[in-house]
Amino acid sequence: MKQLRFWTRFGIINLVLLLSLTLSANEKTLRRAERLFAQGRFKESLVLFKRLVKKTPRNEIYLFNLANNLFELGRTKSGIKVLQKISKLNGSLAPMANYQLARTFEAQEKRRIAQKYYSRVDARNLSSEMQSQYRQDYANLVFDMAAIEYKRKNFIEASKLFEHSLDLTETSDTLFMLGLTDFKLNKPQRARSRFERVIEIANDQDLVRNAEKLLDRIRTGSWREEPYWVVLDSSVGYNDNIFREGN
């Protein structure tokens, strides 16, 4: 399984705010654990993070550091349990814990569980950079789920999911797939607006050409022709892995 390193893009967030000139015993232990972690001495830092959590089991900072350490050691299941505890505490670090849980389950291709944790993230409590990435990651997950439903011919569910993905982030791919889904649901006029928007914003010229062809077929009333649909459905350039049964 692909090892997820959640914080490599954003950097390890410094969660320790020292408001006193004197360090408590726990603060000294935390400082030492962080130094060991930064040096890649994860087994040694793990011992110290566990000690801190044992002393203060509801401290989100200690728990988050422990979870991150467990992930670095490849102990994904244990890391998930710690993040779920932070999520249930519903404190200031819950949004980041939920985001990391979503990314972890998505990497494991457990998309429904990932969606649950994405939906729990209060993006207002994320940094501006992380908010943007969160919305893109969430939109990509929902798009993949929609594409699976489309392939299974569950077009009503596919439409709902594509709409959700579009609400998170507008992309030409999502608009195009919504247009195809509208056709499948016998709503060509709604599809028309999708394809017109694709032509406005798409950089992919193949996508633009397909959208133009579909608009021509709406105008001539020939959009129902099945041979064309067989070719078009098979040519949609998305990774076939997202269409695997059982996802």
Side-chain angles (χ1 to χ4, degrees), residues 194-237:
R194 316 282 198 192
F195 296 131
E196 287 173 343
R197 181 61 177 158
V198 169
I199 293 168
E200 287 179 15
I201 70 172
N203 293 319
D204 184 339
Q205 292 307 303
D206 288 336
L207 204 60
V208 170
R209 281 191 289 272
N210 270 330
E212 289 172 340
K213 288 177 183 178
L214 285 163
L215 283 172
D216 285 341
R217 286 179 175 269
I218 292 172
R219 296 186 189 103
T220 60
S222 59
W223 58 273
R224 293 177 181 273
E225 294 179 11
E226 187 63 26
Y228 180 72
W229 277 109
V230 172
V231 173
L232 186 60
D233 279 353
S234 65
S235 69
V236 174

Side-chain angles (χ1 to χ4, degrees), residues 141-228:
L141 170 76
V142 178
F143 180 95
D144 285 355
M145 293 171 68
I148 291 167
E149 296 303 325
Y150 181 93
K151 191 71 172 182
R152 292 172 177 168
K153 303 185 186 305
N154 297 329
F155 300 121
I156 293 176
E157 182 63 18
S159 179
K160 291 177 182 177
L161 289 167
F162 281 131
E163 287 282 10
H164 188 185
S165 180
L166 190 66
D167 287 342
L168 290 162
T169 303
E170 184 187 49
T171 69
S172 55
D173 286 343
T174 307
L175 285 161
F176 187 82
M177 289 304 297
L178 265 171
L180 295 186
T181 308
D182 289 337
F183 270 166
K184 298 290 189 179
L185 294 173
N186 196 29
K187 297 177 179 179
Q189 296 311 311
R190 192 164 71 174
R192 179 201 295 267
S193 66
R194 316 282 198 192
F195 296 131
E196 287 173 343
R197 181 61 177 158
V198 169
I199 293 168
E200 287 179 15
I201 70 172
N203 293 319
D204 184 339
Q205 292 307 303
D206 288 336
L207 204 60
V208 170
R209 281 191 289 272
N210 270 330
E212 289 172 340
K213 288 177 183 178
L214 285 163
L215 283 172
D216 285 341
R217 286 179 175 269
I218 292 172
R219 296 186 189 103
T220 60
S222 59
W223 58 273
R224 293 177 181 273
E225 294 179 11
E226 187 63 26
Y228 180 72

